[in-house]
Amino acid sequence: MRRITGKTKDETLIELQSATDSQITDGPAVLTGFRINLHSDESSGNGLSSLLDRAPLPGNTESEKLQPNKDTVFFRDGVRRIDFVLSYLDDKDGEKKQERRREFEANLEKQGLELETEDKSDSKDHKTYFLKIHAPWHVLATYADVLKVKVPFKESDIPHGQDVPLECLSQPFRLPEHIMHPQPDYFTYPFEKTKTDFFLINDKDTFFPPSTRNRIVFYILARCPYYKEGRKDRDKTGIKRLLSNGTYTAAFPLHDCRYWKRARDAGCESERYNLYKNWARFLIFYKEQPLNLIRKYYGEKIGIYFAWLGFYTEMLFFAAVMGFLCFTYGLLSYDDNISSKEICDPDIGGSIVMCPLCDKKCRFWNLNSTCLSSWQSHLFDNEGTVFFAIFMGIWVTLFLEFWKRRQARLEYEWDLVDFEEEQQQLQIRPEFEIQCTNKRLNKITQEMEPYLPVTSKCARFCLSGATVIFWISLIVACIIGVIAYRLAVYAAFASIIKDPMRKIQLVGRFITPQLATSVTASCINFVIIMILNFFYERVAIWITDMEIPKTHLEYENRLTMKMFLFQFVNYYSSCFYVAFFKGKFVGYPGAYSYMFGKSTKLRNEECDPGGCLIELTTQLVIVMAGKQLWGNIQEALLPLLRNLWSSRKGRHNPENHYSRWEQDHVLQNFSQLGLFYEYLEMVVQFGFITLFVASFPLAPLLALFNNILEIRVDAWKFTTQFRRPVASKARNIGAWQEILNGVAILSVVTNAFIMAFTSDMIPRMVYLYAYSKEGSMRGYVNNSLSIYNISQIPKNNMPEDEWFVNLTTCRYRDYRYPPGHLKEYTHTMQFWHILAAKMAFIIIMEHVVFVVKFFVAWMIPDIPSDVKARFKRERYLIQEYLHNYEVEKLKIQLSASFITEPMSEMSVTSDKHEVLSECL
């Protein structure tokens, strides 16, 4: 095992400057640091800087030191790495800000951090100061111990895996080995400062990777106060508050190089360049993602997101193939659609006169005017749709179960096992510690900790719940407004778009009143969705902040549930209306149903004779495709235009004139909730392709194309547009996992109801097997339409013009007895047969899918067997190595104590031996 046997030269030089503080304690404040101003007099050669300048710099030659490279991630001495950068402007009236900065930086130095300031005269805009922060070894070791950072103690002796069958076929999709596995596989154990020789430490400067270093420094920054010593202003704590009040303008860790070019410093890993070259370019969309490199550079939380997104996209491929086959079946069976042929036949559909679809403005119309929509409906409403709906119910289960296995493997490989249990207390938000002044004893740790009283917590939850209910009610009100628009505007479209019986214009054949109403209402609904979404995002963050969650995990989970509940109602409510309410409460001629009563004259909408499924398809396509298109414009096009404008300056500036911290400073900040919005976008898409997929089998295909683009766009943003995020850990996708499970269960129910009540599949099957005399679909259209006596229609429901004087009856979509029958206009027995068949179909489909889902979930273990074996092996090795380590340490202590025994005792013993020998 490789261990450190002595101190490095650089460490010795650092200790020369701080000899008085060489006693390292176990607490966070372990060493009084020092601050270097680059504009101080350094010509004398005194102090640490001059000593370090004489030391050999890693990766730099003497000629390079004569012309310093400002595109670097090291301090001016070329030895100490820049772990974090703070920027600020020197305001004319900013005395309070200057005082805050002085106190804050003094407290950072007390924590042991080392600071170096870049004067504004050296920055490109001559306005911005940059404060560079370096965490020396003793600070990193102290906080790595506090944060229980897992580090390697032995190289793994378990191979990565077996050879993949037909590996040559997958070779074009693979990346080089050094990109996929940028570092060896180790067995790891939480770092302990007192056992440094237990771990594989080759070089203290590179032992902790940059992502771990910036996480530790941010932990210190978030908890460091900026009040004077002796005062206890609890609100004056943390870098977040200093950023919000303008004391500092930015705080960020540095990228290690430019994304289009390797770093000149040999000490830089150039991981950003490798990520851009092998991950962020769209031309390599077919390649696998370098997840280990992503995790190493950005941290586990971002790595888990891209692992989930990549796995979701891979699984979408199978759903997209099946959906495309279902759509292809609809195309190939186009000519076998007898119902559409009857509707389009001038002798059948042309001779059937339908009752008006609205009051006054709508005329009687011929059934063959819906010929085109009936053909379109058949593309999505056919026998293959039933199979596809069942397949998607099983696909969702396979996706979630296989993701659990993939996630378990990542948890082990990325040292995330038991992370939440160990880190729950360490993840306490600084805001909670500041705002909760009450203290109580923790029964587990026996330490005093802040807490929120029950009365305050209940009051905050009540206000939060009331706010969420208000906004959801606002969405429902907007949806009702859109429905009222549909009812009111339908009559206007019916009067504008001429009836086919009256020598219509060309456009009338393709744009019916139903289609025009559906498209315009869907577009209006999409605009309302985006507007409400814009405002509610801010409200959700405000009420979550008001609740003062204790931990970061709790904060994210609460915000996730609020946002998804709102987005669920916002995005899906219009689809639920079309799928389950439109055309279901219409009534019949002479007894129509009205929205808010007859006085409103807003008659409930009817479905097209081909069913409401085609309208649900239209609604789904507009909302889903519109959201994805708008999201891609926001994520890719706008940043690309901004990048084209700003990159001209960046690329043409020499490296020794445009520093690394200035290049990163002009990039966009990646907020703490950046990943939250990425997850939300994908989960909303997941809802579209599962909840309503029976109405549009091509939805998974659209999602697949979008996600292929999404992965590369997100990668491009992270590597080129965003500052480097602070690395953070997460063992899974959090609350999104439960949301996906809930959506998966709900999708089985919604698709079963869509097939039963929105599709025309069940009525066709009942007619085919119970009522057709020929055993075919001939006569189905006539059978599905009831007859009404025009003379019995109330005057308020009749068209304004009177060209229909020769007509005596009209047809409408329902199963009711004809005029003159004993049960005139009441439901026929066929109606009840169809209703029973629909309920039976729902029960059978749900039970079949749920049984298969639970069986598949039971058959597939959540944790792969090889991962269990590796985990047990690591636990065993940890026990063994720790035991051997303690035994060796005890031997050394005993040997040392034996050697240092008092000489007097040894001399007395030797004298006794001499006397005894003489006597003998």
Side-chain angles (χ1 to χ4, degrees):
M1 184 181 297
R2 296 167 288 178
R3 297 186 176 91
I4 286 184
T5 56
K7 296 177 181 177
T8 63
K9 182 176 180 180
D10 299 334
E11 183 184 355
T12 305
L13 291 173
I14 291 174
E15 290 185 354
L16 290 175
Q17 178 69 16
S18 304
T20 57
D21 298 312
S22 60
Q23 298 297 326
I24 299 175
T25 64
D26 293 333
V30 293
L31 182 64
T32 302
F34 50 87
R35 180 176 178 180
I36 300 174
N37 194 313
L38 295 182
H39 296 276
S40 60
D41 185 12
E42 299 176 352
S43 59
S44 62
N46 296 328
L48 175 65
S49 181
S50 60
L51 286 171
L52 290 174
D53 284 341
R54 288 195 290 268
L57 305 183
N60 290 339
T61 63
E62 293 296 329
S63 61
E64 286 175 332
K65 287 195 292 181
L66 296 176
Q67 295 179 351
N69 172 25
K70 296 188 71 176
D71 188 24
T72 180
V73 293
F74 293 98
F75 271 20
R76 193 177 225 193
D77 54 40
V79 176
R80 292 169 293 165
R81 189 182 186 105
I82 301 172
D83 297 314
F84 228 87
V85 174
L86 307 181
S87 66
Y88 59 92
L89 299 174
D90 192 8
D91 301 331
K92 295 180 180 179
D93 53 349
E95 293 183 2
K96 288 185 177 180
K97 294 180 181 179
Q98 290 180 6
E99 182 180 355
R100 292 187 198 126
R101 285 194 290 267
R102 281 195 299 270
E103 297 298 331
F104 185 67
E105 292 166 16
N107 288 329
L108 289 180
E109 291 174 340
K110 291 178 183 178
Q111 295 291 323
L113 297 179
E114 299 172 4
L115 312 179
E116 186 175 86
T117 303
E118 285 283 343
D119 192 76
K120 65 179 181 180
S121 61
D122 289 335
S123 64
K124 189 170 182 61
D125 59 3
H126 301 291
K127 298 178 182 178
T128 307
Y129 291 88
F130 292 96
L131 178 67
K132 298 175 288 184
I133 302 174
H134 168 75
W137 167 256
H138 65 269
V139 175
L140 294 173
T142 299
Y143 283 94
D145 195 348
V146 171
L147 295 173
K148 303 299 180 187
V149 176
K150 288 190 175 182
V151 294
F153 70 91
K154 181 185 185 300
E155 195 163 346
S156 175
D157 56 2
I158 300 178
H160 281 288
Q162 300 176 351
D163 294 335
V164 180
L166 302 177
E167 186 176 359
C168 58
L169 297 179
S170 61
Q171 196 63 33
F173 307 101
R174 297 190 176 278
L175 291 173
E177 182 66 20
H178 72 280
I179 298 296
M180 291 302 298
H181 301 284
Q183 56 189 2
D185 193 12
Y186 294 102
F187 291 122
T188 58
Y189 184 72
F191 183 82
E192 293 186 24
K193 192 175 178 182
T194 58
K195 299 176 180 173
T196 54
D197 55 341
F198 175 72
F199 303 103
L200 296 178
I201 305 178
N202 276 335
D203 184 358
K204 288 185 177 181
D205 291 335
T206 58
F207 178 65
F208 293 108
S211 57
T212 302
R213 297 175 69 100
N214 70 57
R215 184 162 71 96
I216 290 174
V217 173
F218 184 74
Y219 183 87
I220 298 172
L221 293 175
R223 287 158 177 78
C224 183
Y226 55 92
Y227 49 77
K228 292 183 178 179
E229 190 174 355
R231 297 178 59 183
K232 292 294 181 182
D233 300 331
R234 294 184 58 84
D235 289 344
K236 296 183 177 181
T237 302
I239 187 61
K240 290 183 180 179
R241 193 169 183 86
L242 290 171
L243 290 171
S244 63
N245 60 30
T247 302
Y248 291 101
T249 57
F252 53 92
L254 290 179
H255 284 294
D256 60 2
C257 65
R258 301 188 178 194
Y259 67 85
W260 67 86
K261 179 178 182 180
R262 289 189 181 276
R264 289 173 57 185
D265 289 329
C268 278
E269 302 84 357
S270 297
E271 291 175 348
R272 185 190 187 192
Y273 169 79
N274 289 331
L275 285 170
Y276 177 75
K277 180 181 178 182
N278 298 282
W279 179 49
R281 295 184 299 137
F282 183 74
L283 293 179
I284 56 172
F285 69 91
Y286 58 91
K287 295 278 190 179
E288 59 184 337
Q289 296 187 86
L291 295 178
N292 289 313
L293 186 58
I294 297 170
R295 172 247 182 174
K296 185 173 182 285
Y297 192 73
Y298 291 113
E300 287 79 3
K301 192 171 185 178
I302 292 176
I304 282 285
Y305 164 72
F306 280 104
W308 176 82
L309 180 57
F311 183 79
Y312 171 46
T313 305
E314 292 172 9
M315 292 295 292
L316 269 178
F317 173 77
F318 302 101
V321 169
M322 294 305 300
F324 182 75
L325 292 177
C326 178
F327 179 77
T328 304
Y329 173 80
L331 283 175
L332 296 178
S333 60
Y334 207 65
D335 295 332
D336 299 330
N337 184 12
I338 298 176
S339 299
S340 295
K341 288 182 178 180
E342 289 185 347
I343 291 174
C344 298
D345 192 336
D347 297 329
I348 301 177
S351 63
I352 297 177
V353 178
M354 304 294 293
C355 299
L357 295 174
C358 63
D359 297 339
K360 299 291 186 180
K361 299 295 182 182
C362 296
R363 303 178 177 88
F364 293 92
W365 51 285
N366 287 112
L367 182 61
N368 64 351
S369 64
T370 62
C371 176
L372 182 61
S373 64
S374 68
W375 285 112
Q376 293 171 345
S377 179
H378 175 73
L379 294 176
F380 307 106
D381 188 6
N382 52 66
E383 293 79 2
T385 309
V386 179
F387 169 78
F388 183 65
I390 296 174
F391 169 81
M392 286 301 296
I394 300 172
W395 174 87
V396 169
T397 304
L398 292 173
F399 163 63
L400 294 176
E401 291 302 318
F402 282 122
W403 166 245
K404 289 179 184 177
R405 291 171 60 84
R406 181 71 173 273
Q407 188 171 256
R409 187 178 297 278
L410 291 176
E411 283 181 21
Y412 171 75
E413 292 178 353
W414 292 357
D415 298 324
L416 300 172
V417 179
D418 301 329
F419 166 72
E420 285 181 2
E421 290 75 7
E422 294 177 359
Q423 297 290 326
Q424 192 72 17
Q425 186 66 23
L426 299 174
Q427 288 186 354
I428 291 180
R429 301 171 63 240
E431 295 84 353
F432 182 85
E433 296 175 333
I434 293 170
Q435 298 181 43
C436 297
T437 56
N438 298 308
K439 297 270 189 178
R440 68 179 177 187
L441 183 68
N442 188 314
K443 296 180 180 180
I444 299 175
T445 63
Q446 294 297 309
E447 295 179 358
M448 299 300 292
E449 65 176 11
Y451 82 102
L452 191 64
V454 177
T455 53
S456 176
K457 187 180 294 185
C458 291
R460 292 171 187 274
F461 280 167
C462 289
L463 179 58
S464 174
T467 306
V468 173
I469 292 173
F470 167 77
W471 277 89
I472 291 178
S473 302
L474 183 62
I475 298 173
V476 174
C478 291
I479 295 300
I480 293 175
V482 173
I483 295 172
Y485 163 83
R486 298 173 70 110
L487 302 180
V489 82
Y490 180 83
F493 280 123
S495 62
I496 295 172
I497 302 174
K498 304 300 181 181
D499 191 276
M501 296 179 67
R502 290 192 159 195
K503 298 180 181 179
I504 63 167
Q505 303 170 357
L506 178 62
V507 72
R509 297 177 185 173
F510 304 101
I511 302 180
T512 62
Q514 293 97 329
L515 180 61
T517 303
S518 180
V519 171
T520 55
S522 298
C523 293
I524 293 173
N525 182 64
F526 176 72
V527 173
I528 293 174
I529 285 173
M530 301 310 294
I531 293 174
L532 290 177
N533 188 42
F534 174 80
F535 287 105
Y536 183 76
E537 284 180 3
R538 287 147 182 80
V539 173
I541 293 173
W542 174 73
I543 59 179
T544 306
D545 289 337
M546 181 195 62
E547 293 176 6
I548 319 180
K550 183 177 181 179
T551 65
H552 293 290
L553 180 65
E554 188 178 350
Y555 180 91
E556 291 182 3
N557 288 345
R558 289 187 187 182
L559 181 62
T560 297
M561 297 307 298
K562 291 183 183 68
M563 282 297 296
F564 182 75
L565 180 63
F566 175 83
Q567 299 280 20
F568 184 90
V569 179
N570 197 18
Y571 281 105
Y572 304 142
S573 54
S574 58
C575 293
F576 271 100
Y577 163 73
V578 175
F580 306 121
F581 295 97
K582 183 180 178 181
K584 309 300 185 293
F585 310 99
V586 177
Y588 60 95
Y592 285 119
S593 300
Y594 290 82
M595 187 179 183
F596 308 124
K598 288 188 177 181
S599 59
T600 61
K601 298 181 180 181
L602 296 175
R603 200 171 98 188
N604 288 347
E605 285 184 282
E606 294 187 41
C607 283
D608 189 90
C612 275
L613 194 70
I614 190 64
E615 291 195 42
L616 177 59
T617 303
T618 304
Q619 180 77 26
L620 180 63
V621 169
I622 289 177
V623 176
M624 177 183 173
K627 182 185 182 304
Q628 292 184 351
L629 180 62
W630 176 249
N632 289 330
I633 290 175
Q634 284 184 311
E635 291 187 9
L637 186 59
L638 296 180
L640 182 61
L641 294 175
R642 190 187 304 114
N643 186 55
L644 290 175
W645 175 257
S646 61
S647 64
R648 294 178 180 177
K649 307 175 184 178
R651 288 210 184 197
H652 294 294
N653 275 279
E655 293 179 358
N656 57 346
H657 291 159
Y658 197 39
S659 63
R660 163 81 358 239
W661 42 91
E662 287 181 277
Q663 295 177 50
D664 286 4
H665 184 256
V666 298
L667 298 177
Q668 300 178 57
N669 180 48
F670 184 76
S671 67
Q672 184 182 0
L673 298 176
L675 273 187
F676 169 81
Y677 294 113
E678 301 293 345
Y679 274 117
L680 183 62
E681 178 185 0
M682 289 295 102
V683 173
V684 168
Q685 182 204 84
F686 180 80
F688 279 124
I689 69 164
T690 54
L691 295 174
F692 308 103
V693 73
S695 66
F696 187 47
L698 292 180
L701 186 63
L702 292 182
L704 176 64
F705 290 147
N706 176 81
N707 287 9
I708 291 174
L709 178 64
E710 180 77 18
I711 290 175
R712 303 304 163 178
V713 168
D714 286 349
W716 174 77
K717 288 192 306 180
F718 271 97
T719 53
T720 67
Q721 301 300 300
F722 287 139
R723 297 169 185 159
R724 185 174 185 171
V726 178
S728 57
K729 283 183 173 289
R731 64 176 297 186
N732 50 42
I733 61 175
W736 299 111
Q737 182 75 39
E738 298 304 320
I739 290 175
L740 292 174
N741 289 330
V743 171
I745 294 174
L746 182 61
S747 67
V748 178
V749 180
T750 56
N751 283 300
F753 272 86
I754 287 173
M755 294 306 304
F757 288 98
T758 309
S759 168
D760 205 30
M761 180 61 59
I762 302 301
R764 288 202 298 263
M765 293 298 100
V766 170
Y767 174 79
L768 178 64
Y769 294 108
Y771 290 91
S772 175
K773 296 179 181 179
E774 303 177 3
S776 69
M777 292 301 296
R778 295 188 183 278
Y780 168 73
V781 173
N782 186 63
N783 176 267
S784 64
L785 300 175
S786 299
I787 303 174
Y788 199 85
N789 193 338
I790 293 178
S791 61
Q792 295 177 310
I793 299 178
K795 187 176 181 181
N796 292 335
N797 301 135
M798 295 293 284
E800 292 176 343
D801 51 3
E802 299 183 357
W803 61 270
F804 52 86
V805 290
N806 295 327
L807 298 176
T808 57
T809 60
C810 64
R811 310 293 292 272
Y812 61 98
R813 183 180 172 82
D814 208 342
Y815 293 92
R816 295 179 182 272
Y817 289 108
H821 195 276
L822 292 176
K823 299 180 181 180
E824 183 179 70
Y825 303 138
T826 60
H827 285 121
T828 64
M829 187 57 65
Q830 186 176 353
F831 171 83
W832 300 109
H833 288 167
I834 292 173
L835 181 61
K838 289 179 177 180
M839 300 306 297
F841 174 82
I842 291 173
I843 294 173
I844 293 172
M845 178 178 171
E846 286 182 355
H847 280 69
V848 168
V849 175
F850 279 132
V851 167
V852 174
K853 279 169 65 70
F854 292 133
F855 178 75
V856 169
W858 175 75
M859 284 289 294
I860 302 175
D862 292 346
I863 303 177
S865 58
D866 64 314
V867 172
K868 288 182 180 179
R870 288 167 65 93
F871 180 67
K872 292 178 180 178
R873 169 75 174 159
E874 181 167 331
R875 285 287 176 92
Y876 168 76
L877 283 176
I878 289 173
Q879 302 258 342
E880 182 183 19
Y881 270 69
L882 277 176
H883 176 266
N884 295 337
Y885 172 80
E886 294 295 343
V887 170
E888 292 295 329
K889 190 174 181 181
L890 183 59
K891 288 180 179 179
I892 295 173
Q893 290 176 350
L894 291 174
S895 300
S897 63
F898 178 77
I899 294 172
T900 57
E901 282 183 354
M903 291 299 296
S904 58
E905 296 181 4
M906 295 180 66
S907 61
V908 170
T909 304
S910 61
D911 291 341
K912 289 180 179 179
H913 282 291
E914 290 177 1
V915 172
L916 181 60
S917 60
E918 290 177 359
C919 294
L920 292 174

